[in-house]
Amino acid sequence: MEIVNSAKEIQEYLQNTRRELHENPEISNKESKTSEIILRELEKFGNFNIRKNVNGNGIIAELIGAKEGKTIALRADMDALQIEEETGVSFESKNKGVMHACGHDNHMTMVLGAAYLLSKRKDELSGKVRFIFQPAEELSPNGGAKGMIKEGALDGVDAIFSMHVWPDLPLGKVGIKEGPLMAASDHFTVTIKGKPSHAAKPNEGIDALVTGAQYVTAVQTIVSRN
């Protein structure tokens, strides 16, 4: 329970950090202020080997324990969504049309909290802990992960962990499962070729607009029917 109690002791700090991140949301590949906040906090903690500007605004901070061991990574995403915040909270977004509506402000705060707690226990650690702050997670289908991996974010890592906040779970509960979890997204293009005709002779043409509307309606049922 020692580390749990230590976490409770920094609850106010974590709350304030999360709110600062929430106030300053930035879209994919524009996370410069977000990166500054994270770097500022990591430098306060000390004990880290820090790489910044990884694949843009990404950050990698490594904590080396006093003993030999494996390398474990903890990862958080950084970017926000193009949504206008209308919550009315005191720490509402200062950036018009941008909001942390997907919880990335929470994710960054959790990894910063872990970094703080583990940095105070460096002498007890076996191996290394790598803290990865990834930009452009929302930039489907090719977000910031590939670029960070290409720049060595996972080199030598034995296992990596991440966590996503989820409002459907009661406070204090953690949901886990074997295999893939959450949704994946991809982009594709569909071309519908129409054929013009006189309004008096619609049978001689192909109405691409009506065809497209029917297509959207039909495709939407694929997942729900399978």
Side-chain angles (χ1 to χ4, degrees), residues 104-119:
H104 296 187
D105 49 339
N106 289 281
H107 303 164
M108 290 182 283
T109 303
M110 287 189 284
V111 173
L112 280 172
Y116 175 84
L117 293 173
L118 292 174
S119 69

Side-chain angles (χ1 to χ4, degrees), residues 39 50 83 90 97 127 129 141 160-161 174 176 180 182 186 191 204:
L39 286 169
I50 298 175
I83 296 175
S90 60
V129 183
I160 182 168
F161 297 89
V174 178
I176 58 173
M182 309 295 285
D186 209 341
T191 302
E204 294 182 1

Side-chain angles (χ1 to χ4, degrees), residues 29-46:
N29 290 326
K30 303 291 183 182
E31 311 94 338
S32 57
K33 173 69 174 177
T34 305
S35 182
E36 288 177 11
I37 294 170
I38 293 168
L39 286 169
R40 182 196 70 204
E41 296 308 307
L42 289 171
E43 287 166 0
K44 282 183 187 176
F45 304 159

Side-chain angles (χ1 to χ4, degrees), residues 14-26:
L14 295 175
Q15 183 182 71
N16 292 337
T17 301
R18 182 253 166 172
R19 290 182 175 184
E20 183 181 8
L21 290 165
H22 189 87
E23 285 180 326
N24 296 280
E26 296 167 304

